[in-house]
Amino acid sequence: MQDHDHYRLFLHLAETLSFTRTAADCHVSPATLSRTVQRLEAATGHRLLDRGPHGVCLTTRGRAFRQYAAEALDLWARYRSDDAAEDDLSGHLRVFASVTACHTLVPDLLTPLRDAHPRVSISLRTGDAAAALALLDQGEADLAVAALPARIPATVLARRITQTPLVLVQAGPAPADEEFTAATEPFVLPRQGLVRAAADQWFRALGIRPHIAAETDGHEALLTLVALGYGTGIVPDLVLQHSGLRARLRQVTASSQPDQLAIGVCIRRADVHRPLVAAAWAATQPSRADRPAQL
């Protein structure tokens, strides 16, 4: 159906926010893509995208229509699968996870879904772990594997699958007379997110104002700067143990450590009725998810 083709184009554009990239990936001309968006805007009676000097962004109505289009395609896929078993889903699930989570948690976490519903396709987006819940809330992902705050937003359903200590790391082998003093050490910290919040809380508990040598937007970048000798980093142990820089780093023992970090799988509460999201949520029950979460 033509409408469904338009929905697919719009969903791709909503993810890339690039007319050029979506046109190339979907094998249509930029003019055709523009006309498709215009037809959708005419049909809905609302502007779905804002085009400005800094690029393309979804409007509030555009974000709502993105969810509608995704649900419509899920339902259409189920309707067309009458020849399959009743529980044989098809469709497209968008997952967000950090690089470390992709390497350590996501394969086993999503294996039950893959085994039960092989016709479901999965797109996996990686990035800064601090952005996971925001991307989920904005409709950029259907499911996220993310660090969990102490208070889960009311719009989100979350299930804890593991936890990891936050550790202090420095470059190179430990000197013989090593003595770690947080008050005088330079630190490399995440710019934002739960690890940064835990680090700030730790500094307050110690009663110190840290010397922050550098800030980064991801744990991998943070470990790179630590390996270059810019200062002491604070990262989840799960990240350290699976980093390609592990051999160039050492863990530092201090009299106190930052709090542990809970890791969980999350969906939007409003999406729990969607068959595809519901199947993914059910597939990540603790009895299955605990296996890859041992630290």
Side-chain angles (χ1 to χ4, degrees):
M1 296 177 68
Q2 189 177 37
D3 283 350
H4 293 158
D5 292 337
H6 292 171
Y7 293 170
R8 293 185 186 94
L9 284 173
F10 179 80
L11 289 175
H12 193 288
L13 180 58
E15 185 170 342
T16 65
L17 295 179
S18 168
F19 276 80
T20 302
R21 180 176 168 187
T22 292
D25 289 350
C26 298
H27 307 291
V28 298
S29 69
T32 297
L33 181 57
S34 293
R35 286 195 296 272
T36 296
V37 173
Q38 290 168 3
R39 290 187 184 114
L40 290 174
E41 290 179 333
T44 60
H46 299 287
R47 177 175 288 277
L48 304 178
L49 294 165
D50 280 333
R51 305 166 182 83
H54 300 295
V56 177
C57 66
L58 288 170
T59 63
T60 300
R61 292 288 187 172
R63 288 192 291 271
F65 183 76
R66 175 180 53 193
Q67 183 169 338
Y68 164 79
E71 292 179 6
L73 290 177
D74 282 350
L75 290 172
W76 177 244
R78 283 176 60 82
Y79 174 77
R80 296 192 64 188
S81 62
D82 287 342
D83 57 334
E86 289 186 2
D87 64 345
D88 187 15
L89 292 178
S90 62
H92 184 71
L93 183 73
R94 299 168 300 157
V95 179
F96 178 88
S98 69
V99 172
T100 298
C102 289
H103 290 170
T104 60
L105 300 174
V106 171
D108 288 335
L109 189 66
L110 294 183
T111 290
L113 177 69
R114 178 65 176 164
D115 290 345
H117 307 293
R119 297 177 62 191
V120 170
S121 64
I122 296 174
S123 66
L124 187 55
R125 178 177 175 180
T126 64
D128 183 4
L133 290 185
L135 290 172
L136 189 70
D137 185 61
Q138 294 164 10
E140 299 288 341
D142 301 311
L143 181 144
V145 181
L148 301 179
R151 292 185 177 181
I152 305 298
T155 57
V156 171
L157 286 177
R159 178 184 296 125
R160 194 174 84 165
I161 55 177
T162 190
Q163 62 182 21
T164 178
L166 297 182
V167 296
L168 309 174
V169 290
Q170 293 180 342
D177 58 347
E178 178 183 37
E179 182 177 347
F180 180 79
T181 306
T184 59
E185 289 287 339
F187 281 89
V188 181
L189 300 175
R191 196 179 311 278
Q192 60 183 346
L194 295 179
V195 173
R196 177 58 181 266
D200 290 342
Q201 184 178 5
W202 181 63
F203 292 134
R204 287 194 296 269
L206 294 177
I208 65 171
R209 178 172 294 180
H211 169 208
I212 301 176
E215 296 176 312
T216 70
D217 290 323
H219 298 313
E220 292 76 17
L222 186 152
L223 290 180
T224 297
L225 294 185
V226 171
L228 290 170
Y230 280 91
T232 300
I234 300 179
V235 296
D237 185 58
L238 191 65
V239 173
L240 176 63
Q241 297 305 322
H242 293 87
S243 171
L245 295 169
R246 181 71 183 89
R248 300 182 59 177
L249 301 167
R250 70 178 186 276
Q251 188 171 331
V252 177
T253 302
S255 57
S256 68
Q257 299 284 128
D259 289 340
Q260 293 196 343
L261 196 66
I263 310 295
V265 58
C266 314
I267 63 171
R268 286 187 302 276
R269 190 178 294 273
D271 286 349
V272 72
H273 69 284
R274 291 176 54 194
L276 189 55
V277 175
W281 182 244
T284 58
Q285 291 291 338
S287 60
R288 292 168 174 170
D290 283 347
R291 290 197 298 269
Q294 301 301 315
L295 300 179

